[in-house]
Amino acid sequence: MDKPTGPGSRLALFPILTLSAFCIPILIGLAGTWLPALGYLPAIGAYDLNVSVFFTLFREPGFSSATFHTITTGLGATLIALGLSLLITTQIYGSALWRLLERSLAVLLAMPHAAFAIGFGFLIAPSGWLVRIISPELTGFEVPPGWATVKDAYGISLTLALAFKEIPFLLLMCLSGLNQLDIRRTLWVGHSLGYSRSRIWTRLVLPQLYPHLRLPVLAVLAYSLSVVDVALILGPNLPPTLSVLVDRWFNDSDVGYRLLGAAGATWLFLLVMAAIAVFLLAEKIIYRLSRDRLIDGSRSSISERFGLSGATAYFSSALLLLVSLLSFLVLVLWSFTRSWRFPESLPGVYSLRFWARGVSQTAEPVWIALVVGVLATLIAVVLVIGCLENEIELARKGRRADSQKVMWLVYLPLLVPQIAFLFGIQTIAVLFGVEGTWLSMVGVHLIFVLPYVFLTLSGVYRGFDNRYTQVAVSLSGSPLRSFFRVKLVMLAKPIVFALATGFAVSVAQYLPTMYLGAGRFMTITTETVSLAGGSDRRVVAVYALCQFLLPMLMYTLAIFLPAWAFRNRRAMQNEKGEW
């Protein structure tokens, strides 16, 4: 029998290519890390498979404290971000402040973690802007106080920065989940039954919404437990978090520490998996304990009658916007500062000197970030569209993909700590002589860009009314021409937005560039994080703003290019599913 050779069979290649682009590197990378963790790394003459490296790891000074800091900061940031995101969504959904938050999400998400952490540090430092604004009138400080508000021993500044940065992401996921529910009808039914606003959300909406949030929350948990760049900027030093400690061992001049780094990376991987398992278990316990309360018939609670939940939600939303705005403004101020003495609330002398110097110094890292980001994102968009078209083709034939399995696969690169498999990928890249090449750079960025492009595009793409395509095919007689000239054009806005999102994710990558760039590829993110350790604040501010402006430029193009292209097509400008 002849094998099928139509468009449907060619589309089946896209899921295979997509899974190969991120699943195979992760699996190879994990294996390439676990073998050195067990003492096998021929490149440095280690051939004995045993677990002695783990015993050395457990005896290493600072290991237990680093593990403790990792758990407290990662878990704390996740719980704060989740709690505030749910509180904000349930209390202010539909209000003017919610609409403001919704419009601000693109800007909040465009700001890379490292740039936000630097701005946040400039804000809360003992000599930071907040202390300057109220000094000396309210504090009496003529010199910066001896507080440890940045890089504090308990990781409080790291926890707060991670929480503030992850809230916009979870709010976006809440928004995406709500779009898939019949929220208006649910609210109407709740009101007609006499439930208060909080009761409607906790009894009727959250049980439907939370399944849409489960994987994003787990991704936030895995990221918060294993982040390196933000921990380098704001985290404790002695000892640092486990991910920073492992990174130091991997980059130690003594190659013997590679085995210790691999064991530490494996331990961090197990820690993240254990945290995810505990989180899922806690979720089941909370559900069982609250199941009876969901149907107890109460219409309101004491805290709702006094408006405490609503007031906390409004305060949290305003605080999120204010902190984000001030973290950005303080970067702008420092970048134009020539002289800013403490406790002056604003710079005494402004200057363009550091921008003039910074533009030439950042040209090459910006160019590398731009090229890698654009290539990785374009490949990701093509693969994702191919996968979604294959899904439509399967549905047309009566075969549907298991959406839950698809989502777990898509989230795989976000649930596994980067440092747990990047060393293994680096080892394989060295073996094949591709370390420090454009191929390895684009390939490793593609691993992290693909999930975000899929998450951004899949909802709108699946919701496209395929009757447009059927009409176009009947008029043109060509499925391919209909696809390019009708479907892609009608979906141009979400596709361009997905491109901007993928590019922003690529620009923010720190560890992948450090491990696969081999020192020959330094992007604006790696340069910014390197300088954040102790360079002049004015120079760091210029680099951080360049890192922020790059994705912001893409988001701006994503908003205005389709608007300009469809300026004479009113229906296209109001196309359902626009961002």
Side-chain angles (χ1 to χ4, degrees), residues 110-433:
M111 194 168 211
H113 283 76
F116 175 78
I118 292 168
F120 188 71
F122 287 176
L123 199 61
I124 65 166
S127 60
W129 201 19
L130 289 182
V131 177
R132 288 169 186 260
I133 289 173
I134 59 174
S135 298
E137 290 82 6
L138 297 181
T139 63
F141 294 144
E142 294 291 342
V143 293
W147 302 337
T149 51
V150 175
K151 291 181 177 286
D152 59 285
Y154 300 102
I156 296 172
S157 55
L158 173 62
T159 305
L160 291 177
L162 286 172
F164 276 121
K165 195 67 189 78
E166 296 305 330
I167 288 174
F169 171 67
L170 290 181
L171 285 177
L172 181 68
M173 293 298 108
C174 285
L175 194 62
S176 171
L178 289 173
N179 287 337
Q180 298 176 50
L181 305 177
D182 192 351
I183 188 68
R184 287 187 180 179
R185 186 183 295 272
T186 306
L187 294 176
W188 180 82
V189 169
H191 282 302
S192 67
L193 292 173
Y195 283 106
S196 67
R197 179 188 178 91
S198 295
R199 282 290 187 266
I200 294 172
W201 280 88
T202 53
R203 266 50 173 182
L204 303 179
V205 181
L206 273 185
Q208 301 177 67
L209 177 64
Y210 188 76
H212 298 279
L213 293 180
R214 182 176 291 116
L215 282 171
V217 171
L218 295 181
V220 168
L221 177 64
Y223 176 80
S224 301
L225 287 168
S226 59
V227 63
V228 172
D229 51 356
V230 181
L232 281 171
I233 296 167
L234 294 174
N237 265 330
L238 293 173
T241 57
L242 191 56
S243 56
V244 174
L245 199 58
V246 170
D247 184 50
R248 286 181 189 169
W249 288 333
F250 275 141
N251 291 289
D252 198 285
S253 55
D254 182 353
V255 293
Y257 274 94
R258 302 292 186 276
L259 300 181
L260 197 60
T266 305
W267 175 255
L268 182 60
F269 171 77
L270 295 174
L271 195 67
V272 171
M273 293 303 112
I276 289 175
V278 169
F279 205 91
L280 292 174
L281 181 64
E283 186 185 297
K284 289 187 181 300
I285 293 173
I286 291 171
Y287 173 72
R288 283 184 180 278
L289 292 177
S290 61
R291 192 168 46 186
D292 293 337
R293 297 191 63 187
L294 292 175
I295 54 173
D296 64 1
S298 68
R299 267 35 181 183
S300 64
S301 67
I302 295 175
S303 65
E304 292 166 42
R305 289 172 200 148
F306 288 101
L308 292 177
S309 304
T312 309
Y314 276 92
F315 174 76
S316 304
S317 309
L319 187 65
L320 170 67
L321 290 172
L322 185 66
V323 167
S324 303
L325 179 65
L326 291 180
S327 299
F328 170 72
L329 286 179
V330 74
L331 288 177
V332 175
L333 284 176
W334 273 111
S335 71
F336 288 104
T337 293
R338 182 173 181 181
S339 169
W340 191 354
R341 297 181 185 279
F342 190 91
E344 294 171 353
S345 56
L346 290 172
V349 183
Y350 291 92
S351 171
L352 288 172
R353 184 172 62 175
F354 292 94
W355 271 106
R357 192 187 301 170
V359 167
S360 60
Q361 290 174 341
T362 57
E364 186 178 350
V366 165
W367 172 249
I368 291 173
L370 185 70
V371 174
V372 172
V374 168
L375 289 176
T377 308
L378 284 175
I379 295 170
V381 168
V382 171
L383 289 175
V384 167
I385 289 178
C387 289
L388 292 170
E389 281 297 318
N390 181 61
E391 196 176 291
I392 293 168
E393 181 68 17
L394 288 177
R396 194 178 63 79
K397 293 176 179 175
R399 296 161 55 196
R400 290 192 177 276
D402 188 331
S403 58
Q404 272 303 106
K405 287 182 180 175
V406 170
M407 290 307 288
W408 275 97
L409 279 173
V410 168
Y411 269 93
L412 184 63
L414 311 182
L415 299 179
V416 179
Q418 290 186 358
I419 205 163
F421 62 87
L422 281 175
F423 175 72
I425 293 179
Q426 183 191 33
T427 306
I428 302 299
V430 171
L431 201 64
F432 285 92

Side-chain angles (χ1 to χ4, degrees), residues 515-538:
Y515 278 71
L516 272 296
R520 292 192 284 275
F521 288 85
M522 299 301 286
T523 63
I524 187 65
T525 297
T526 57
E527 293 290 282
T528 303
V529 176
S530 302
L531 289 171
S535 295
D536 191 318
R537 283 186 180 182
R538 297 164 292 189

Side-chain angles (χ1 to χ4, degrees), residues 454-475:
F454 187 90
L455 293 172
T456 310
L457 189 57
S458 58
V460 181
Y461 205 94
R462 285 167 175 158
F464 181 77
D465 189 344
N466 281 311
R467 286 175 297 182
Y468 287 115
T469 310
Q470 291 164 4
V471 171
V473 171
S474 66
L475 292 174

